[in-house]
mmCIF file of all heavy atoms in Angstrom:
data_model
loop_
_atom_site.group_PDB
_atom_site.id
_atom_site.type_symbol
_atom_site.label_atom_id
_atom_site.label_comp_id
_atom_site.label_asym_id
_atom_site.label_seq_id
_atom_site.Cartn_x
_atom_site.Cartn_y
_atom_site.Cartn_z
ATOM 1 N N ALA A 29 2.209 5.249 -8.755
ATOM 2 C CA ALA A 29 0.917 5.365 -9.441
ATOM 3 C C ALA A 29 -0.036 6.332 -8.733
ATOM 4 O O ALA A 29 -1.140 6.581 -9.225
ATOM 5 C CB ALA A 29 0.257 3.986 -9.533
ATOM 6 N N SER A 30 0.377 6.899 -7.616
ATOM 7 C CA SER A 30 -0.486 7.855 -6.907
ATOM 8 C C SER A 30 -0.748 9.061 -7.789
ATOM 9 O O SER A 30 0.151 9.547 -8.493
ATOM 10 C CB SER A 30 0.152 8.289 -5.590
ATOM 11 O OG SER A 30 0.094 7.249 -4.653
ATOM 12 N N ASN A 31 -1.979 9.553 -7.763
ATOM 13 C CA ASN A 31 -2.341 10.603 -8.711
ATOM 14 C C ASN A 31 -3.161 11.742 -8.110
ATOM 15 O O ASN A 31 -3.604 12.637 -8.827
ATOM 16 C CB ASN A 31 -3.104 9.989 -9.892
ATOM 17 C CG ASN A 31 -4.328 9.217 -9.439
ATOM 18 O OD1 ASN A 31 -4.747 9.324 -8.288
ATOM 19 N ND2 ASN A 31 -4.894 8.438 -10.331
ATOM 20 N N TYR A 32 -3.367 11.721 -6.799
ATOM 21 C CA TYR A 32 -4.145 12.792 -6.182
ATOM 22 C C TYR A 32 -3.555 13.100 -4.820
ATOM 23 O O TYR A 32 -3.333 12.186 -4.007
ATOM 24 C CB TYR A 32 -5.610 12.371 -6.059
ATOM 25 C CG TYR A 32 -6.483 13.379 -5.346
ATOM 26 C CD1 TYR A 32 -6.676 14.652 -5.869
ATOM 27 C CD2 TYR A 32 -7.106 13.056 -4.143
ATOM 28 C CE1 TYR A 32 -7.467 15.579 -5.212
ATOM 29 C CE2 TYR A 32 -7.895 13.976 -3.480
ATOM 30 C CZ TYR A 32 -8.074 15.239 -4.022
ATOM 31 O OH TYR A 32 -8.846 16.158 -3.367
ATOM 32 N N PHE A 33 -3.286 14.409 -4.574
ATOM 33 C CA PHE A 33 -2.532 14.795 -3.376
ATOM 34 C C PHE A 33 -3.221 15.998 -2.705
ATOM 35 O O PHE A 33 -2.982 17.145 -3.076
ATOM 36 C CB PHE A 33 -1.090 15.155 -3.764
ATOM 37 C CG PHE A 33 -0.416 14.080 -4.573
ATOM 38 C CD1 PHE A 33 -0.487 14.078 -5.952
ATOM 39 C CD2 PHE A 33 0.279 13.053 -3.940
ATOM 40 C CE1 PHE A 33 0.117 13.076 -6.699
ATOM 41 C CE2 PHE A 33 0.895 12.057 -4.672
ATOM 42 C CZ PHE A 33 0.812 12.062 -6.060
ATOM 43 N N PRO A 34 -4.049 15.728 -1.713
ATOM 44 C CA PRO A 34 -4.709 16.835 -0.993
ATOM 45 C C PRO A 34 -3.910 17.244 0.240
ATOM 46 O O PRO A 34 -3.136 16.461 0.802
ATOM 47 C CB PRO A 34 -6.048 16.218 -0.593
ATOM 48 C CG PRO A 34 -5.762 14.762 -0.452
ATOM 49 C CD PRO A 34 -4.616 14.437 -1.375
ATOM 50 N N TYR A 36 -4.588 19.133 4.101
ATOM 51 C CA TYR A 36 -5.618 19.493 5.059
ATOM 52 C C TYR A 36 -5.028 20.292 6.205
ATOM 53 O O TYR A 36 -3.890 20.086 6.606
ATOM 54 C CB TYR A 36 -6.281 18.226 5.637
ATOM 55 C CG TYR A 36 -7.112 17.465 4.626
ATOM 56 C CD1 TYR A 36 -6.533 16.536 3.771
ATOM 57 C CD2 TYR A 36 -8.485 17.687 4.535
ATOM 58 C CE1 TYR A 36 -7.299 15.859 2.842
ATOM 59 C CE2 TYR A 36 -9.253 17.003 3.610
ATOM 60 C CZ TYR A 36 -8.651 16.094 2.771
ATOM 61 O OH TYR A 36 -9.415 15.423 1.848
ATOM 62 N N LEU A 46 -9.937 20.615 4.006
ATOM 63 C CA LEU A 46 -9.193 20.635 2.749
ATOM 64 C C LEU A 46 -8.845 22.076 2.385
ATOM 65 O O LEU A 46 -9.718 22.950 2.340
ATOM 66 C CB LEU A 46 -10.044 20.015 1.637
ATOM 67 C CG LEU A 46 -9.436 19.994 0.243
ATOM 68 C CD1 LEU A 46 -8.261 19.015 0.186
ATOM 69 C CD2 LEU A 46 -10.489 19.605 -0.801
ATOM 70 N N ILE A 48 -6.092 22.738 -0.168
ATOM 71 C CA ILE A 48 -5.636 22.744 -1.548
ATOM 72 C C ILE A 48 -5.351 21.311 -1.954
ATOM 73 O O ILE A 48 -5.052 20.468 -1.102
ATOM 74 C CB ILE A 48 -4.379 23.642 -1.732
ATOM 75 C CG1 ILE A 48 -4.146 23.969 -3.223
ATOM 76 C CG2 ILE A 48 -3.150 23.027 -1.091
ATOM 77 C CD1 ILE A 48 -3.110 25.077 -3.436
ATOM 78 N N ASP A 49 -5.477 21.014 -3.227
ATOM 79 C CA ASP A 49 -5.133 19.685 -3.722
ATOM 80 C C ASP A 49 -4.501 19.812 -5.095
ATOM 81 O O ASP A 49 -4.607 20.841 -5.769
ATOM 82 C CB ASP A 49 -6.345 18.749 -3.726
ATOM 83 C CG ASP A 49 -7.516 19.282 -4.557
ATOM 84 O OD1 ASP A 49 -7.351 20.270 -5.313
ATOM 85 O OD2 ASP A 49 -8.632 18.736 -4.430
ATOM 86 N N ILE A 50 -3.809 18.755 -5.500
ATOM 87 C CA ILE A 50 -3.157 18.767 -6.797
ATOM 88 C C ILE A 50 -3.247 17.370 -7.398
ATOM 89 O O ILE A 50 -3.176 16.374 -6.674
ATOM 90 C CB ILE A 50 -1.686 19.249 -6.685
ATOM 91 C CG1 ILE A 50 -1.092 19.527 -8.073
ATOM 92 C CG2 ILE A 50 -0.834 18.268 -5.894
ATOM 93 C CD1 ILE A 50 0.243 20.259 -8.006
ATOM 94 N N ARG A 51 -3.417 17.319 -8.687
ATOM 95 C CA ARG A 51 -3.464 16.048 -9.382
ATOM 96 C C ARG A 51 -2.176 15.825 -10.144
ATOM 97 O O ARG A 51 -1.435 16.781 -10.416
ATOM 98 C CB ARG A 51 -4.703 16.005 -10.291
ATOM 99 C CG ARG A 51 -5.978 15.872 -9.478
ATOM 100 C CD ARG A 51 -7.248 16.117 -10.267
ATOM 101 N NE ARG A 51 -8.438 15.805 -9.480
ATOM 102 C CZ ARG A 51 -8.930 16.578 -8.515
ATOM 103 N NH1 ARG A 51 -8.351 17.702 -8.202
ATOM 104 N NH2 ARG A 51 -10.012 16.200 -7.852
ATOM 105 N N SER A 52 -1.918 14.591 -10.499
ATOM 106 C CA SER A 52 -0.592 14.227 -10.997
ATOM 107 C C SER A 52 -0.279 14.797 -12.365
ATOM 108 O O SER A 52 0.871 14.731 -12.811
ATOM 109 C CB SER A 52 -0.443 12.708 -11.020
ATOM 110 O OG SER A 52 -1.432 12.127 -11.847
ATOM 111 N N PHE A 73 5.978 16.010 -2.735
ATOM 112 C CA PHE A 73 5.149 17.192 -2.942
ATOM 113 C C PHE A 73 5.236 18.068 -1.697
ATOM 114 O O PHE A 73 5.537 17.580 -0.601
ATOM 115 C CB PHE A 73 3.702 16.825 -3.289
ATOM 116 C CG PHE A 73 2.983 15.942 -2.304
ATOM 117 C CD1 PHE A 73 1.908 16.418 -1.579
ATOM 118 C CD2 PHE A 73 3.350 14.609 -2.126
ATOM 119 C CE1 PHE A 73 1.221 15.605 -0.689
ATOM 120 C CE2 PHE A 73 2.685 13.788 -1.236
ATOM 121 C CZ PHE A 73 1.611 14.287 -0.518
ATOM 122 N N ALA A 91 -1.670 14.132 2.093
ATOM 123 C CA ALA A 91 -2.230 12.810 1.813
ATOM 124 C C ALA A 91 -1.952 12.474 0.359
ATOM 125 O O ALA A 91 -1.751 13.364 -0.483
ATOM 126 C CB ALA A 91 -3.729 12.776 2.102
ATOM 127 N N ALA A 92 -1.918 11.189 0.073
ATOM 128 C CA ALA A 92 -1.713 10.725 -1.294
ATOM 129 C C ALA A 92 -2.675 9.584 -1.572
ATOM 130 O O ALA A 92 -2.902 8.731 -0.709
ATOM 131 C CB ALA A 92 -0.269 10.256 -1.489
ATOM 132 N N ARG A 93 -3.251 9.592 -2.760
ATOM 133 C CA ARG A 93 -4.150 8.515 -3.146
ATOM 134 C C ARG A 93 -3.425 7.640 -4.148
ATOM 135 O O ARG A 93 -3.011 8.092 -5.207
ATOM 136 C CB ARG A 93 -5.431 9.040 -3.764
ATOM 137 C CG ARG A 93 -6.449 7.946 -4.056
ATOM 138 C CD ARG A 93 -7.570 8.444 -4.914
ATOM 139 N NE ARG A 93 -7.203 8.469 -6.324
ATOM 140 C CZ ARG A 93 -7.580 7.565 -7.216
ATOM 141 N NH1 ARG A 93 -8.325 6.554 -6.832
ATOM 142 N NH2 ARG A 93 -7.231 7.666 -8.473
ATOM 143 N N SER A 94 -3.272 6.382 -3.755
ATOM 144 C CA SER A 94 -2.601 5.425 -4.621
ATOM 145 C C SER A 94 -3.453 5.137 -5.847
ATOM 146 O O SER A 94 -4.668 5.106 -5.772
ATOM 147 C CB SER A 94 -2.350 4.134 -3.842
ATOM 148 O OG SER A 94 -2.008 3.098 -4.717
ATOM 149 N N PRO A 100 -7.271 7.840 0.332
ATOM 150 C CA PRO A 100 -6.010 8.549 0.559
ATOM 151 C C PRO A 100 -5.326 8.085 1.842
ATOM 152 O O PRO A 100 -5.992 7.777 2.830
ATOM 153 C CB PRO A 100 -6.447 10.012 0.657
ATOM 154 C CG PRO A 100 -7.869 9.957 1.080
ATOM 155 C CD PRO A 100 -8.439 8.688 0.534
ATOM 156 N N GLY B 100 -12.277 8.605 -5.974
ATOM 157 C CA GLY B 100 -11.272 9.047 -5.015
ATOM 158 C C GLY B 100 -10.563 10.333 -5.364
ATOM 159 O O GLY B 100 -9.614 10.708 -4.709
ATOM 160 N N ASN B 101 -10.982 11.011 -6.401
ATOM 161 C CA ASN B 101 -10.295 12.237 -6.782
ATOM 162 C C ASN B 101 -10.975 13.481 -6.243
ATOM 163 O O ASN B 101 -10.809 14.558 -6.803
ATOM 164 C CB ASN B 101 -10.188 12.313 -8.298
ATOM 165 C CG ASN B 101 -9.079 11.424 -8.818
ATOM 166 O OD1 ASN B 101 -8.228 10.977 -8.062
ATOM 167 N ND2 ASN B 101 -9.107 11.146 -10.095
ATOM 168 N N TYR B 102 -11.717 13.303 -5.201
ATOM 169 C CA TYR B 102 -12.366 14.442 -4.590
ATOM 170 C C TYR B 102 -11.915 14.542 -3.148
ATOM 171 O O TYR B 102 -11.743 13.538 -2.470
ATOM 172 C CB TYR B 102 -13.886 14.287 -4.638
ATOM 173 C CG TYR B 102 -14.436 14.214 -6.052
ATOM 174 C CD1 TYR B 102 -14.687 12.997 -6.656
ATOM 175 C CD2 TYR B 102 -14.685 15.367 -6.777
ATOM 176 C CE1 TYR B 102 -15.182 12.920 -7.934
ATOM 177 C CE2 TYR B 102 -15.190 15.306 -8.061
ATOM 178 C CZ TYR B 102 -15.431 14.089 -8.641
ATOM 179 O OH TYR B 102 -15.924 14.010 -9.915
ATOM 180 N N GLY B 103 -11.743 15.790 -2.710
ATOM 181 C CA GLY B 103 -11.347 15.988 -1.320
ATOM 182 C C GLY B 103 -12.454 15.615 -0.370
ATOM 183 O O GLY B 103 -13.628 15.566 -0.729
ATOM 184 N N TYR B 104 -12.077 15.338 0.832
ATOM 185 C CA TYR B 104 -13.020 14.996 1.877
ATOM 186 C C TYR B 104 -13.503 16.256 2.587
ATOM 187 O O TYR B 104 -12.754 17.214 2.757
ATOM 188 C CB TYR B 104 -12.351 14.124 2.943
ATOM 189 C CG TYR B 104 -12.078 12.698 2.560
ATOM 190 C CD1 TYR B 104 -11.329 11.887 3.408
ATOM 191 C CD2 TYR B 104 -12.537 12.129 1.393
ATOM 192 C CE1 TYR B 104 -11.058 10.570 3.109
ATOM 193 C CE2 TYR B 104 -12.280 10.806 1.079
ATOM 194 C CZ TYR B 104 -11.539 10.038 1.949
ATOM 195 O OH TYR B 104 -11.279 8.725 1.644
#
Side-chain angles (χ1 to χ4, degrees):
Chain A
S30 287
N31 56 13
Y32 176 63
F33 308 90
Y36 291 85
L46 178 69
I48 196 168
D49 57 11
I50 191 169
R51 288 168 173 76
S52 59
F73 56 113
R93 186 192 81 102
S94 166
Chain B
N101 282 345
Y102 298 96
Y104 286 172

